[in-house]
Amino acid sequence: IAESGNDGLRSIDIDSVGSTFPLSSMKEFYFVFAETWLNYSIAGCNSTDKCLIGLHGHVFDISDFVEAHPGSTETLLIESGRDSTLFFESIGHSRGARKLAIGKVAVVNAQCVDWNARSVVNDCDVRRPVRPQKTWGLIKPRDDSLVRRINIPGFLIPKKRSQSRSFGGLWSVRQRIKREELVQEQQAENLQRALGQNLFGGIQCFFDPFNGWQSWYTNRDFQTVYS
């Protein structure tokens, strides 16, 4: 497998890559879960009844918007149930679309927001910024630390096309997860060829901290299958 980019990943020999699972300690669990919680939490949630999508480290519930999406229902179903920041930004969504997304956030990752974003409408916010009490962990959208800020442009997600927002964590853990993920994706491609089917959206991989690497796909009957 060959992969390059800012993370410094290079060619990978599948047989040489070990497995993170089982986790050896609560400390390791903490750092690994910080890297993998999003895809683990929303894996397979890509139906018209329950449609969750990850953007810039947060989870959005777009169940009531799927059939109204101007880019087609199928597009959202294919990209949901996982982190789809790269796809979202590659399309170049407008500020209106980003504002609409903000109203559908279900879980906020405090490390992936811009706490320095200010509303130019409210002078008080600019001159006397109030520092939040909680700048880490996962927060409900109605949390007191968010209610005055969540609708400020650029706070939750970037105002314009941007790279995925980064968050704290151990670089070594992040690299290990990325390497293992590449291996899992290659194995998923092999499985899809073995099945001989054009699966709806392909096979998606995620790390389950309790059971190790897992995968899921949507079959021809639009049912989620975990493997």
Side-chain angles (χ1 to χ4, degrees):
I1 302 173
E3 179 73 13
S4 60
N6 296 332
D7 294 315
L9 298 182
R10 294 293 183 263
S11 297
I12 297 175
D13 179 3
I14 291 180
D15 296 329
S16 68
V17 178
S19 175
T20 294
F21 187 80
L23 303 177
S24 60
S25 65
M26 285 302 299
K27 180 180 179 180
E28 185 179 22
F29 180 96
Y30 173 83
F31 286 112
V32 170
F33 192 73
E35 298 291 334
T36 60
W37 74 270
L38 196 154
N39 283 338
Y40 164 68
S41 301
I42 66 176
C45 297
N46 69 327
S47 69
T48 53
D49 294 325
K50 187 177 184 180
C51 193
L52 305 179
I53 194 168
L55 296 175
H56 288 287
H58 317 294
V59 174
F60 298 79
D61 186 347
I62 55 175
S63 304
D64 61 354
F65 179 66
V66 175
E67 297 184 358
H69 183 235
S72 82
T73 299
E74 290 74 15
T75 300
L76 284 188
L77 295 181
I78 289 175
E79 297 299 327
S80 58
R82 57 194 171 105
D83 177 63
S84 291
T85 303
L86 293 178
F87 178 81
F88 178 84
E89 293 295 359
S90 70
I91 299 300
H93 284 82
S94 65
R95 288 197 176 188
R98 294 168 188 270
K99 183 178 180 179
L100 187 150
I102 291 172
K104 299 187 179 302
V105 66
V107 180
V108 175
N109 186 342
Q111 294 190 69
C112 294
V113 299
D114 182 3
W115 292 106
N116 294 315
R118 296 287 177 264
S119 171
V120 296
V121 176
N122 191 337
D123 249 7
C124 181
D125 283 345
V126 176
R127 291 175 302 164
R128 296 190 305 167
V130 180
R131 293 300 301 169
Q133 295 180 347
K134 185 175 182 180
T135 58
W136 52 271
L138 306 179
I139 313 176
K140 295 180 179 180
R142 295 183 180 180
D143 188 88
D144 291 341
S145 63
L146 298 178
V147 290
R148 293 179 55 192
R149 303 166 177 270
I150 200 164
N151 290 313
I152 296 177
F155 173 75
L156 193 65
I157 58 177
K159 292 184 289 185
K160 57 184 180 180
R161 182 178 293 180
S162 174
Q163 293 183 344
S164 179
R165 285 185 172 174
S166 59
F167 49 90
L170 291 181
W171 184 88
S172 59
V173 172
R174 183 169 300 162
Q175 296 306 297
R176 184 176 61 181
I177 293 296
K178 286 181 178 295
R179 285 193 293 269
E180 292 183 19
E181 186 176 27
L182 286 172
V183 172
Q184 295 298 318
E185 289 174 351
Q186 180 62 62
Q187 293 176 346
E189 291 180 7
N190 295 337
L191 174 60
Q192 183 166 339
R193 283 195 292 267
L195 292 174
Q197 301 178 19
N198 292 321
L199 300 176
F200 186 72
I203 300 177
Q204 309 303 325
C205 303
F206 66 96
F207 184 79
D208 179 342
F210 304 101
N211 298 290
W213 284 98
Q214 308 289 319
S215 61
W216 65 273
Y217 62 89
T218 303
N219 63 21
R220 294 179 178 178
D221 295 323
F222 291 93
Q223 296 175 329
T224 301
V225 179
Y226 296 91
S227 58

